[in-house]
Amino acid sequence: MTSKVTINRLATGVPGLDEVLGGGLPEFSFNLLAGPPGCGKTTLAHQMMFALASPERTALYFTVLGEPPLKMLRYQQQFAFFDNDKVNQSIRFINLSDSTALGDLDAVLEKITHEVQAKNPALVFVDSFRSVVLASQAQGKHSGELQRFIQQLGMLMTSWQATTFLIGEYFNETDANPVFTVSDGLIWVRQSVQRNSMVRKMEILKMRGQPTLPGLHTFRIDQSGIQVFAPMLQRLARPEPSAEGLGSERLSIGVPDLDLMLGGGLPRGYSVLVSGPSGSGKSILATAFLAEGARRGETGVIAAFEQQPSGSRNPVLADLIAAGSLGLVDSRAQDLSIDEILLQLVQEIQRLKATRVVIDSLSGFELALAPTFREDFRESLMRLVTGLASTGVTVMMTCELEDRYNDLRFSPYGTAFLTDVIIVQRYIELDSRLRRMMAVVKVRGSAHSDELRLFSVNGNGIQLGETLGEREGLLGGRPTLCLPKKHSESQPANEARML
């Protein structure tokens, strides 16, 4: 019985790309990096080349009619992955402009063959291969000659056991093209602009012999190079439930009376939605949740999409961050993708071994996303909640909710069903004063209080008071909390009313 051939997979050196490729880049494969101008093809090729090249695995980088090598290198030196010691040692740049100017494919192939035979590289890059195609078409070469050239180039690289990359400017992946057919791998990069936002995405259209992650994957270019944000749900496995089952252990939320309303505390591993209008105390409750965890020796992470928690506005969180009990993901930058945000959160959770996470707030989270991800915010939020749940942490999310008279909602996005616990904070007008009210709407799989409790905020945080039913003199001894359709001038001044 013939044993299967084992294909060695190379680590690309591009964060997240190996996961998208399904474990790395197949060695000796013949690949095409394609996409429109300016989307990051050359940067991607250089980052992989500098990561893979070594004295034992040398690389040849052929430049055609595109940028001269010196000009290209001047810009690539700005990236952290660039290693000047490898240039002219492990990596050599060769200009093919003289051979391609006349559109003679045979001369181009002969030049490449000569250099490959002389240098015996393990990695070969041709940038921009599209220039070879355009030059040949300008000389009246038909598609049959181009296909023959590509097949011969592919056979040459395979026989010399070189991993090859053709970099080309292509605008439509559906076009019939012999390069697409012959290549073992086809990596397509693109970018789109919506309003003042630009999002770059990558798709693995083809990679022979291994399962790749389907779909479009966002990536970002910064001073370190390219980082691909692979779907976190593909990389995270939900922890095995304990013998007692998920949620059997109760955590203090940081407000003792609220723990009682929750049925003895917050079940570990649950997701909590705290909704209410501006200024009702959502962030204060989130702070109490994190501070209580730190008091019990638990670390936490907060994703701040609005206010900076490390400043003077919230000295409690600032002290926790300074003490190393709280990690901060400051995601007020624009044009983020859900996978990028989730990756930052998971990395901070793993670094601190955190058990409590706060998202403050979902409104800021929505604004931080690039417009293309705001179109279906429900899907983005579902991926966030599911991804965080896979790490086993207990999550609290705050959500600003506008008070209305004609309906009772817990989330403006219609996503309350995603969470295990819902706590609502509201304003009421009581005895000609503006008062705060809190209620526990849902605790999945657990009994909880259905009381409407008044509460106040002071130097000690949130203090729960009496229920509305305990207030004397409300509506002749029959206290109610209603959602009136219309207020009249004759309405009693001491009636409890939703604002």
Side-chain angles (χ1 to χ4, degrees), residues 253 274 281-292 302 314 317 320 356-360 396-398 425 462:
I253 205 167
V274 181
K282 302 182 297 296
S283 296
I284 296 174
L285 181 57
T287 299
F289 172 66
L290 293 171
E292 179 65 19
I302 181 170
N314 199 323
L317 293 184
L320 293 177
R356 300 188 182 209
V357 174
V358 164
I359 309 295
D360 189 24
M396 177 179 288
M397 299 173 289
T398 67
Q425 298 174 343
I462 291 178

Side-chain angles (χ1 to χ4, degrees), residues 6-10 24-31 57 122-123 161-164 184 210:
T6 301
I7 297 179
N8 183 35
R9 290 182 172 86
L10 306 175
L25 187 73
E27 192 174 26
F28 311 142
S29 56
F30 191 73
N31 306 283
R57 186 193 288 134
L123 304 164
Q161 294 189 329
T163 306
T164 308
D184 301 311
Q210 61 191 54

Side-chain angles (χ1 to χ4, degrees), residues 457-497:
V457 178
N458 56 31
N460 296 320
I462 291 178
Q463 306 295 322
L464 263 65
E466 67 271 30
T467 66
L468 291 181
E470 294 171 338
R471 295 285 297 178
E472 295 180 357
L474 292 181
L475 300 178
R478 298 176 57 193
T480 61
L481 182 66
C482 57
L483 292 169
K485 294 183 179 179
K486 183 177 181 181
H487 292 298
S488 64
E489 295 295 328
S490 61
Q491 195 170 22
N494 65 344
E495 180 179 350
R497 294 181 293 171

